Amino acid sequence: MSMVGNLRKVAHLTRQSRRLVDLSHPARSPLGSSVVNCVVYRDGVRQPVADTVEEAVRQVRKHGHDFLWLGLHEPTEKEFAQVAEMFDLHPLAVEDAVRAHQRPKLESYGDILFTVFKTVTYVEHEQLTATSEVVDTGEIMVFTGPDFVVTVRHGRHGSLGPLREDLEARPEQLAKGPSAVLHAIADHVVDDFLTVTDAVQNDLDDVETEVFSPQSSRTADAGRIYQLKREVLELKRAVVPLARPLDVLSTTPLRSVDPEIRAYFRHAADHLARVTEQITAFGTLLDSILQAHLAQVAVAQNDDARRITAWAAICAVPTMVTGTYGMNFDHIPELHWRFGYPLAMGVILVACFLLHRGFKRNGWL
């Protein structure tokens, strides 16, 4: 089990190490440092970088067949207000994009789709403890219009630079327009779900193994189980609500989604269903592990109670004999006999030995 866990960790670290560098090309503008990237695409091919976002928007609207991908990271209200004005974004969607902390959802405002994705990443740790962070979450908000894609990212992870490079390597897919970018982001998020659930499975296997180990600590095991349940719940909140948006994107004709892209959304929805089933199984298994652990604690407490009772019964014999001979009466049997004391001690030792042997035979000691 430990060898399999180590192989999983190595595979996970290898997947992460492939793309640690954001390969995007930053474009600075009056919008501030929140702009991560601003790129114009024509027939799936990247065009020369514009000096400002405003110039890129004018270029797209001049040619009519281009589209713009604007990426931002945690913009302020003032910075995003200019973006909202340029692309005529709905105020409610703008508020959600700036403040974050939204559930995964899909909303339609005319020709513009507003999609919220919860991103997740696995937090590496040497050993799971009662305070270990296992899953870290962030958010990606995507505005998809006829000729633009605006992505707003919140959190320390989930960079879209490597994803952009992958898409640019497939111009035939990128030529399908903004909906191709929306699908790529959805597929990227779901793939991260798969990676994280595999890593969480490793932690769950470790907890399950150690709970049934004879050397396991009762208190520590309970804390780790509850912590893992809490982290699985956080993962579930990111995964499960996304099923409805992907179902709509894969089955409902939308003006902002190319008909050919809907099949790709169905593929992402299938992967999401697999993740959802796995997370549901995690919850069920953790409940079973917790119940088994609590049953072990109850059995251990019963064993302790039996041991205490057995030793109390053994100690009752010398207590009774010495208590009787400790009373100040003249007419106590064998009080003045020369062998009275050795006889009393012998009776105590024999009685304690017989009681100890009987309790041990019955498993009480």
Side-chain angles (χ1 to χ4, degrees):
M1 183 68 70
S2 60
M3 181 179 296
V4 174
N6 291 333
L7 289 175
R8 285 177 177 168
K9 289 181 179 178
V10 170
H12 176 66
L13 289 172
T14 303
R15 284 193 293 268
Q16 282 190 331
S17 62
R18 291 173 185 168
R19 294 181 176 178
L20 292 178
V21 179
D22 189 343
L23 302 177
S24 59
H25 307 286
R28 297 304 176 188
S29 78
L31 295 177
S33 60
S34 64
V35 175
V36 176
N37 209 316
C38 179
V39 183
V40 175
Y41 296 98
R42 183 180 302 163
D43 297 327
V45 179
R46 183 191 191 109
Q47 300 303 299
V49 178
D51 293 333
T52 65
V53 176
E54 293 82 355
E55 183 180 340
V57 172
R58 285 194 296 269
Q59 178 181 339
V60 167
R61 291 173 180 172
K62 177 181 177 181
H63 290 86
H65 298 289
D66 302 350
F67 79 89
L68 170 72
W69 184 353
L70 174 62
L72 301 101
H73 180 253
E74 298 182 353
T76 64
E77 292 185 12
K78 181 179 179 180
E79 291 172 341
F80 201 69
Q82 300 179 53
V83 176
E85 183 178 355
M86 279 190 291
F87 297 105
D88 193 24
L89 304 180
H90 196 280
L92 292 177
V94 170
E95 181 181 354
D96 290 344
V98 173
R99 296 185 179 180
H101 304 296
Q102 304 295 316
R103 296 177 72 251
K105 62 181 179 179
L106 173 67
E107 295 177 349
S108 178
Y109 300 99
D111 290 339
I112 300 176
L113 292 178
F114 175 61
T115 315
V116 178
F117 298 96
K118 279 281 192 182
T119 60
V120 298
T121 187
Y122 180 76
V123 180
E124 295 291 343
H125 46 265
E126 291 294 330
Q127 184 177 9
L128 180 66
T129 66
T131 58
S132 295
E133 184 181 13
V134 178
V135 177
D136 186 26
T137 60
E139 292 177 47
I140 297 177
M141 284 81 166
V142 185
F143 294 88
T144 311
D147 58 0
F148 68 87
V149 176
V150 177
T151 56
V152 182
R153 184 167 60 88
H154 292 266
R156 297 169 294 176
H157 64 275
S159 172
L160 297 177
L163 173 64
R164 188 191 303 269
E165 295 292 329
D166 284 347
L167 274 175
E168 290 177 356
R170 295 180 294 149
E172 70 286 351
Q173 181 73 3
L174 199 54
K176 294 182 174 65
S179 59
V181 176
L182 178 61
H183 161 261
I185 294 173
D187 191 57
H188 171 72
V189 169
V190 173
D191 284 346
D192 285 345
F193 289 164
L194 290 169
T195 301
V196 172
T197 51
D198 288 342
V200 172
Q201 176 73 60
N202 180 49
D203 282 333
L204 195 149
D205 291 342
D206 290 342
V207 169
E208 183 180 21
T209 301
E210 293 179 13
V211 161
F212 292 99
S213 172
Q215 293 80 22
S216 64
S217 170
R218 302 175 194 173
T219 305
D221 283 340
R224 286 185 299 165
I225 295 171
Y226 276 114
Q227 179 65 14
L228 193 55
K229 281 176 66 68
R230 189 181 299 111
E231 296 296 312
V232 168
L233 180 59
E234 184 174 359
L235 179 60
K236 184 176 181 180
R237 289 171 180 165
V239 172
V240 174
L242 186 58
R244 178 58 181 166
L246 288 185
D247 181 64
V248 173
L249 289 169
S250 62
T251 59
T252 305
L254 299 170
R255 284 180 289 183
S256 299
V257 178
D258 188 292
E260 295 183 18
I261 297 295
R262 287 206 297 270
Y264 292 93
F265 280 115
R266 284 196 294 271
H267 183 261
D270 289 341
H271 284 182
L272 184 71
R274 171 192 160 188
V275 176
T276 302
E277 291 174 358
Q278 194 169 0
I279 292 175
T280 302
F282 286 169
T284 303
L285 183 57
L286 280 169
D287 288 338
S288 300
I289 292 174
L290 181 60
Q291 291 175 1
H293 170 68
L294 294 177
Q296 287 179 330
V297 171
V299 170
Q301 289 176 341
N302 289 337
D303 290 341
D304 291 342
R306 285 199 300 267
R307 290 188 180 93
I308 293 172
T309 302
W311 283 112
I314 292 173
C315 293
V317 174
T319 301
M320 180 183 64
V321 175
T322 55
T324 300
Y325 279 88
M327 292 184 292
N328 297 320
F329 295 103
D330 290 334
H331 302 289
I332 295 179
E334 317 300 342
L335 183 62
H336 299 287
W337 186 36
R338 181 177 181 180
F339 299 102
Y341 180 76
L343 178 62
M345 295 302 297
V347 170
I348 291 175
L349 292 175
V350 171
C352 289
F353 172 76
L354 293 176
L355 286 173
H356 183 274
R357 184 177 180 182
F359 288 140
K360 192 170 185 178
R361 183 183 301 168
N362 292 329
W364 284 39
L365 290 175

